[in-house]
Every structure is written in C-alpha cells, then in structure tokens.
Amino acid sequence: MDATFAALADPTRRAILARLMEGEASVLELAEPFAMSQPAVSKHLKVLENAGLITRRRDAQRRPCRIDVEPLTEVNHWLERYRALWEAKFQRLDVLLEELKDEEQAMKAEGGNEA
C-alpha cells in the first residue's frame, strides 16, 4: 500500500489514472494534456506500473496502458475502516450541536416570556 499512496501523491499521476478510467491509452495520448516531455510522462507511468496501478502491453509499435484497480480497492478497504470511525464521530457531533441548538432556543423562549 505504501507504493500506492506514494504513486497517488502526485497530481500528474492522479490525472493519468483519471484518464485511464476512460480506457486504454498510449504514452503519447497520456502526454497530450501535460506540458511535459514524453520521457517525463514515461517516468510517471513507471511509478504507476511499479505500484501496480497500471499495466502495459505490446500492441505492434504501441504500448497501451490500462488501469488496474486492485491496489485502489485495497486502499479503499483500508480507508473504509477510518471512514466508519469518522462518521460515528460526526454523528456524535451532530447530536451535540442539536442539543446546543435546542438549549439556545429554550433560553430565547424563556427570555421572551419574561418581557
């Protein structure tokens, strides 16, 4: 998972993965939207490939890239445990805020009756 997080830390690599969600693409196609050389994009692809986030295959002269979602699935499962924890904390906070709001309304109502 460390390699996955390291690969995802870079916005260019995240953009490449987003593009690959649409389907296979060559290095040239992946380099188009970026103001960088093809070798620079190839370095990003190597990081993604080493993390297991993409696979490349030979197709005559092309080497199309394809996303591999398995490492992302593992990260998602890991994050889901923390999401459940945070959702429980937010639910408790919602209850507390509702109680404070009710108290404030009760105090306003009491103050309005005294006048």
Side-chain angles (χ1 to χ4, degrees), residues 2-55:
D2 291 343
T4 302
F5 278 117
L8 294 174
D10 186 275
T12 300
R13 291 192 285 268
R14 291 192 305 270
I16 290 170
L17 288 175
R19 166 52 187 87
L20 290 174
M21 299 256 317
E22 299 170 12
E24 277 188 353
S26 68
V27 176
L28 286 174
E29 292 168 331
L30 292 170
E32 278 179 18
F34 303 106
M36 64 177 69
S37 67
Q38 183 180 342
V41 171
S42 291
K43 286 181 182 180
H44 284 293
L45 293 175
K46 193 68 171 165
V47 172
L48 291 168
E49 191 174 23
N50 288 340
L53 292 165
I54 67 166
T55 57

Side-chain angles (χ1 to χ4, degrees), residues 47-112:
V47 172
L48 291 168
E49 191 174 23
N50 288 340
L53 292 165
I54 67 166
T55 57
R56 294 198 243 188
R57 63 180 179 82
R58 280 229 184 264
D59 182 15
Q61 299 290 21
R62 291 183 59 209
R63 288 205 52 189
C65 300
R66 173 182 295 174
I67 193 167
D68 184 350
V69 296
E70 184 59 33
L72 295 174
T73 303
E74 291 174 21
V75 167
N76 186 51
H77 288 304
W78 184 80
L79 290 171
E80 280 299 317
R81 295 182 304 175
Y82 293 95
R83 183 166 87 144
L85 173 75
W86 282 106
E87 283 179 356
K89 290 181 182 283
F90 284 133
Q91 287 174 353
R92 287 196 304 270
L93 182 59
D94 286 343
V95 169
L96 176 61
L97 290 174
E98 193 62 37
E99 289 172 0
L100 291 172
K101 187 170 113 182
D102 291 345
E103 287 177 18
E104 184 179 353
Q105 288 175 348
M107 289 176 65
K108 285 182 181 178
E110 287 176 9

